[in-house]
Amino acid sequence: MTSFNKKSPFESKELSQPIPSPTRERSKHTGNANDPEKAISTAVNGGDDDELVTWDGEDDPESPYIWSNSRKYTMTALMSLGGLVSTSSASMMAPALNEISMDLGISDTETQLTMSIYLLAFVFGPMIIGPLSELYGRKKIWIFCHAWYIAWNALAPVGKSSGMMVAGRFLSGFGGSVSISISGPTMADMFKADQRGKSYALVTFAPYLGAAIGPLVGGALSEAAGWPWLFWVVSIFDNILITIFAIFTHEPYGPVLLARKSKQLRQATGRDYRTKFERSHPKLSQKLKVSMMRPIKLFFTTPIILILGLLTSYSFAVYVIALTTFSTMWQEDYGLSKTKSSLHYIAIALGSTIGSQATGPLIDIVWARLKAKNDGATAPEYRVPMMVPGIITMPLGLFLCGWAVEKHLHWIVVDVGAALMSGGMMSSSSAMFSYLIDEFAQHSASSNAACRILSNSFAFGFPIFAPSLYEKLGYGWGNSMLAFMYIGLAFPAPWILWRWGSKIRAIGRLE
């Protein structure tokens, strides 16, 4: 692995040719239109720009960056709980798959489909939700999507019909995908770059737990009350959550707040005050077209999106395989009950928590040190060093977990392997999404949607063939194959991004 203590790539004349070297932070009295973090807070004066609406300097009290910590962390906590609902729904069926298969009268493969089709909706949901949140605001879209989720999630088990189950799971997934669509971008709306790692760790704390807590609660609840209550209990909880969210949170997206400000100024003065986006796209149809096409444009024209998307998609798909097969493995290979097998998801939850929460602050520390080393210059590549620990840890966990099951070793060995796998995945993904948000600050929701096209496509498809994979190769060689593929894909990535990231980012960059 290439050392990151070598000369920074941003000092290289060759690499600085495609785009300017990262700019230093300027005085708050000077325009910062080229700084992604401050692009919407530039004070514009003179000429035809007298009616261009921006923030009243960097200390404008209406700017989400200036909000009180209590306001910021209230929204962070509630969005994190919303993510818990979304991710727990993805995996809560795992311990009850055999029972669901019998009640619905469908095969094991079809049952796996009813579970993973929820994630298929995550492919399409962010493509719509992300752009709409950049047009209408994060808060309205978040509430609408959760209300949509509640309705379809509650309907999914009604009548114990396979058709209703598939439709309910798929359509509820559209609403549930709001968490992965706008949680990270919302943190970028409220927290500056030097706090981005920590804020991302906080908003993903509950969602990362949810993927493992879902089966844990699902096993006990399905055994005690029947599997339909898995859906109804989550819908009841989410109903309470969106009520609290609607009352206690505020809109955090800067361009939407500025659009409201321009509307108030037009009504008060009669002058044609507009934001930059309103001037370039005055009609609603134009705004919708530009916003909705942005993720697709990014996906097909921006290589950095494809690189990060491929890295995160494969690791996430392997993680989903673990979630969907873990309970079955304990029941079939170790003879445990549904409730006892679901307890082992604590290992995955523990690994996810440590991986994400430890990495978040470290991402900020490394970023700050590299910024100081480069005389105040900043760049997304400062997130790259913290990709390395997770990339190394994840395949180690896969090897250990797979061969421990194959040799029927003590359960603690299996759980340690599962924890290393999930912790490594969460650690590397946190750094990768921080990199993405740094590069696409103002359009982070659209870039996030574009990046997740591959991620959720893989997450939908991989679990379907997982049972046949382990049936033919066993857990030892099955996990080893997944680990070797990951090593070939992910190990070169940090070096490539560190060495050529600035050149890659310059291709297809949004103006």
Side-chain angles (χ1 to χ4, degrees):
M1 182 64 61
T2 301
S3 170
F4 292 105
N5 293 322
K6 294 183 178 181
K7 183 179 179 181
S8 169
F10 309 106
E11 298 172 9
S12 167
K13 182 177 180 181
E14 177 187 350
L15 290 178
S16 65
Q17 293 303 312
I19 57 173
S21 298
T23 56
R24 299 179 186 178
E25 293 183 356
R26 305 176 186 176
S27 166
K28 68 180 181 178
H29 301 293
T30 306
N32 293 281
N34 293 323
D35 186 336
E37 181 179 302
K38 301 173 184 176
I40 60 172
S41 61
T42 305
V44 183
N45 297 292
D48 294 335
D49 289 335
D50 284 340
E51 294 173 350
L52 181 63
V53 178
T54 63
W55 296 123
D56 298 328
E58 293 183 22
D59 296 326
D60 189 329
E62 295 182 12
S63 169
Y65 285 145
I66 311 300
W67 282 358
S68 66
N69 284 336
S70 61
R71 179 180 287 192
K72 290 181 181 180
Y73 288 120
T74 296
M75 172 157 276
T76 301
L78 292 174
M79 293 195 85
S80 187
L81 288 174
L84 172 67
V85 170
S86 177
T87 55
S88 62
S89 293
S91 57
M92 65 185 179
M93 293 169 56
L97 286 179
N98 291 334
E99 185 180 351
I100 293 172
S101 177
M102 289 186 292
D103 284 355
L104 299 184
I106 55 179
S107 67
D108 292 342
T109 301
E110 290 171 323
T111 308
Q112 280 286 350
L113 179 62
T114 64
M115 181 172 174
S116 60
I117 200 169
Y118 178 84
L119 293 172
L120 179 61
F122 279 43
V123 176
F124 305 104
M127 300 285 289
I128 300 172
I129 294 169
L132 287 179
S133 76
E134 292 172 350
L135 189 58
Y136 295 107
R138 316 292 196 201
K139 182 175 179 177
K140 287 181 180 178
I141 297 300
W142 193 94
I143 292 173
F144 175 83
C145 288
H146 274 269
W148 177 276
Y149 163 85
I150 289 170
W152 287 105
N153 186 64
L155 285 171
V158 172
K160 294 186 178 180
S161 161
S162 59
M164 179 60 77
M165 174 64 76
V166 171
R169 289 285 288 171
F170 182 71
L171 292 171
S172 66
F174 269 95
S177 67
V178 68
S179 293
I180 66 166
S181 301
I182 66 174
S183 291
T186 301
M187 297 305 101
D189 296 339
M190 300 186 296
F191 296 93
K192 295 185 178 181
D194 57 354
Q195 299 175 304
R196 201 155 284 158
K198 178 183 176 182
S199 65
Y200 188 81
L202 290 173
V203 81
T204 56
F205 174 71
Y208 285 164
L209 281 178
I213 288 177
L216 181 63
V217 174
L221 187 59
S222 63
E223 205 163 48
W227 62 265
W229 277 99
L230 300 177
F231 299 84
W232 297 332
V233 166
V234 176
S235 287
I236 291 169
F237 174 78
D238 200 26
N239 203 10
I240 297 171
L241 181 62
I242 63 171
T243 303
I244 298 172
F245 187 89
I247 296 171
F248 293 104
T249 64
H250 300 77
E251 175 56 47
Y253 188 50
V256 168
L257 295 176
L258 288 174
R260 293 177 183 175
K261 182 178 179 181
S262 71
K263 182 178 180 180
Q264 292 172 351
L265 287 171
R266 289 195 301 272
Q267 292 174 341
T269 66
R271 297 175 62 184
D272 191 29
Y273 283 98
R274 302 283 175 178
T275 66
K276 183 178 180 180
F277 184 68
E278 286 175 323
R279 283 190 174 184
S280 59
H281 306 92
K283 295 181 180 179
L284 178 60
S285 60
Q286 292 176 319
K287 295 178 184 178
L288 283 170
K289 180 180 178 180
V290 170
S291 296
M292 299 301 289
M293 290 301 295
R294 190 179 293 123
I296 299 173
K297 180 181 178 181
L298 285 170
F299 181 77
F300 286 106
T301 64
T302 313
I304 196 66
I305 292 285
L306 294 177
I307 292 172
L308 293 175
L310 190 59
L311 291 172
T312 56
S313 63
Y314 185 81
S315 61
F316 184 58
V318 172
Y319 176 71
V320 173
I321 285 178
L323 292 177
T324 56
T325 61
F326 208 50
S327 180
T328 303
M329 180 273 293
W330 286 110
Q331 293 176 46
E332 294 181 353
D333 289 65
Y334 283 81
L336 301 184
S337 66
K338 281 194 298 184
T339 301
K340 289 183 179 180
S341 67
S342 64
L343 291 174
H344 288 276
Y345 280 95
I346 294 174
I348 295 178
L350 186 62
S352 300
T353 303
I354 295 174
S356 61
Q357 300 308 303
T359 301
L362 289 174
I363 289 173
D364 291 338
I365 292 171
V366 172
W367 185 90
R369 289 183 178 179
L370 288 172
K371 177 183 175 182
K373 183 179 178 180
N374 288 276
D375 299 323
T378 62
E381 281 68 35
Y382 293 0
R383 312 294 185 182
V384 170
M386 284 309 301
M387 296 179 190
V388 177
I391 286 175
I392 295 174
T393 304
M394 183 174 175
L396 292 177
L398 283 170
F399 286 128
L400 181 59
C401 181
W403 286 106
V405 175
E406 189 78 17
K407 302 300 181 181
H408 284 271
L409 300 183
H410 192 273
W411 62 266
I412 193 65
V413 183
V414 180
D415 281 355
V416 169
L420 289 173
M421 179 277 299
S422 63
M425 193 281 285
M426 298 302 177
S427 175
S428 60
S429 295
S430 295
M432 290 175 191
F433 280 111
S434 294
Y435 183 107
L436 186 73
I437 290 172
D438 280 358
E439 171 61 12
F440 300 95
Q442 193 169 342
H443 300 300
S444 53
S446 291
S447 63
N448 180 60
C451 187
R452 291 187 183 273
I453 293 174
L454 286 176
S455 180
N456 294 300
S457 298
F458 279 33
F460 164 70
F462 273 45
I464 295 175
F465 72 75
S468 59
L469 170 71
Y470 291 128
E471 183 179 343
K472 292 178 179 179
L473 298 181
Y475 283 97
W477 283 114
N479 271 18
S480 294
M481 186 190 77
L482 295 173
F484 285 130
M485 290 177 64
Y486 180 79
I487 289 170
L489 178 68
F491 273 37
W495 181 76
I496 291 172
L497 291 175
W498 183 255
R499 184 69 180 85
W500 292 295
S502 59
K503 275 188 173 182
I504 297 170
R505 288 187 290 108
I507 303 172
R509 172 173 285 156
L510 291 176
E511 295 297 334

